Amino acid sequence: SQTIHQWPATLVQPVGSPLSLECTVEGTSNPNLYWYRQAAGRGLQLLFYSVGIGQISSEVPQNLSASRPQDRQFILSSKKLLLSDSGFYLCAWRQGGSYEQYFGPGTRLTVT
Amino acid sequence: DAKTTQPTSMDCAEGRAANLPCNHSTISGNEYVYWYRQIHSQGPQYIIHGLKNNETNEMASLIITEDRKSSTLILPHATLRDTAVYYCIVRVGSGAGSYQLTFGKGTKLSVIP
């Protein structure tokens, strides 16, 4: 069966510090991968998606970036965090041709 | 994508059916209706989707009106573990290589003992 992992589960970082969040998927190949952010009390916002290794599409201009160095690995990064980057970050995967999207457990980021 | 409108919150007694409505009056012919839910502090969970026919799976039933302008998600026997925020999303199907989900604020369902 397929599983999706995210780490860390929680993170507290000072403003201006770098960020690296990792997501890995097991049990499938060539998935579509997604990064979402959910600010407190708000809905989900798509940040990046990837349909293959090295292929990244950005939905929202920001100081974040994403990379997909391996087929089932998706990384969210920032060189300098802002206070507004605080939120709940979710990674998701979807198999091409399917309707369902499966989410990881999320990382709660607090920028202080 | 078509816009959806959901009530902000609903209560349901444990063991009773929970009926969650969603209006999507601007839905186009190739757009599907999807439902996801998010239990507090967890990632969203796929529930069900449909195009125009009613659908049922082990989690829920989806009733779509004939004109497709609204739908209802039915949890037949709500339990306390069904307390969550439920999101109704309207989106083109899976044919494209990319498939982004955009969630609004959803309906907060509280199942009461």
Side-chain angles (χ1 to χ4, degrees), chain A residues 74-92:
Chain A
F74 206 20
I75 298 172
L76 183 69
S77 304
S78 174
K79 293 182 179 178
K80 290 185 177 182
L81 284 169
L82 307 172
L83 285 175
S84 57
D85 291 325
S86 292
F88 191 41
Y89 287 81
L90 289 152
C91 180

Side-chain angles (χ1 to χ4, degrees), chain B residues 4-24:
Chain B
T4 61
T5 304
Q6 298 177 253
T8 302
S9 63
M10 293 181 63
D11 291 339
C12 178
E14 187 178 17
R16 304 296 294 268
N19 297 280
L20 294 96
C22 180
N23 287 320
H24 31 79

Side-chain angles (χ1 to χ4, degrees), chain A residues 55-102:
Chain A
Q55 300 178 63
I56 308 294
S57 296
S58 174
E59 289 296 300
V60 181
Q62 62 224 322
N63 68 320
L64 300 172
S65 63
S67 62
R68 184 170 177 174
Q70 300 180 44
D71 181 43
R72 291 168 290 175
Q73 184 185 30
F74 206 20
I75 298 172
L76 183 69
S77 304
S78 174
K79 293 182 179 178
K80 290 185 177 182
L81 284 169
L82 307 172
L83 285 175
S84 57
D85 291 325
S86 292
F88 191 41
Y89 287 81
L90 289 152
C91 180
W93 75 273
R94 166 185 169 265
Q95 196 62 53
S98 73
Y99 294 90
E100 307 95 278
Q101 206 166 115
Y102 300 98

Side-chain angles (χ1 to χ4, degrees), chain B residues 3-99:
Chain B
K3 180 180 176 180
T4 61
T5 304
Q6 298 177 253
T8 302
S9 63
M10 293 181 63
D11 291 339
C12 178
E14 187 178 17
R16 304 296 294 268
N19 297 280
L20 294 96
C22 180
N23 287 320
H24 31 79
S25 58
T26 60
I27 191 171
S28 61
N30 62 346
E31 289 182 312
Y32 288 71
V33 180
Y34 298 87
W35 283 84
Y36 283 74
R37 73 179 182 184
Q38 187 173 22
I39 297 170
H40 183 63
S41 295
Q42 297 183 22
Q45 178 188 23
Y46 165 84
I47 301 173
I48 200 168
H49 75 277
L51 182 61
K52 52 185 177 181
N53 297 323
N54 297 337
E55 302 288 344
T56 296
N57 63 20
E58 65 279 3
M59 289 184 67
S61 294
L62 175 60
I63 308 298
I64 302 174
T65 58
E66 191 170 345
D67 63 8
R68 302 208 325 123
K69 293 184 177 182
S70 66
S71 60
T72 301
L73 178 75
I74 301 172
L75 308 178
H77 305 286
T79 70
L80 298 179
R81 290 180 296 178
D82 292 322
T83 293
V85 178
Y86 287 76
Y87 297 99
C88 169
I89 304 128
V90 174
R91 187 76 175 90
V92 176
S94 66
S98 62
Y99 177 74

Side-chain angles (χ1 to χ4, degrees), chain A:
Chain A
S1 63
Q2 300 88 359
T3 55
I4 180 169
H5 304 279
Q6 280 186 253
W7 63 91
T10 60
L11 190 61
V12 180
Q13 292 282 93
V15 169
S17 65
L19 173 74
S20 181
L21 303 181
E22 188 163 345
C23 169
T24 60
V25 181
E26 295 178 357
T28 187
S29 61
N30 196 31
N32 292 345
L33 297 172
Y34 306 84
W35 277 113
Y36 293 88
R37 176 171 62 200
Q38 187 174 39
R42 304 183 67 178
L44 244 56
Q45 177 188 37
L46 178 68
L47 302 175
F48 301 95
Y49 68 91
S50 171
V51 299
I53 296 174
Q55 300 178 63
I56 308 294
S57 296
S58 174
E59 289 296 300
V60 181
Q62 62 224 322
N63 68 320
L64 300 172
S65 63
S67 62
R68 184 170 177 174
Q70 300 180 44
D71 181 43
R72 291 168 290 175
Q73 184 185 30
F74 206 20
I75 298 172
L76 183 69
S77 304
S78 174
K79 293 182 179 178
K80 290 185 177 182
L81 284 169
L82 307 172
L83 285 175
S84 57
D85 291 325
S86 292
F88 191 41
Y89 287 81
L90 289 152
C91 180
W93 75 273
R94 166 185 169 265
Q95 196 62 53
S98 73
Y99 294 90
E100 307 95 278
Q101 206 166 115
Y102 300 98
F103 287 80
T107 294
R108 190 161 302 281
L109 171 67
T110 302
V111 182
T112 60

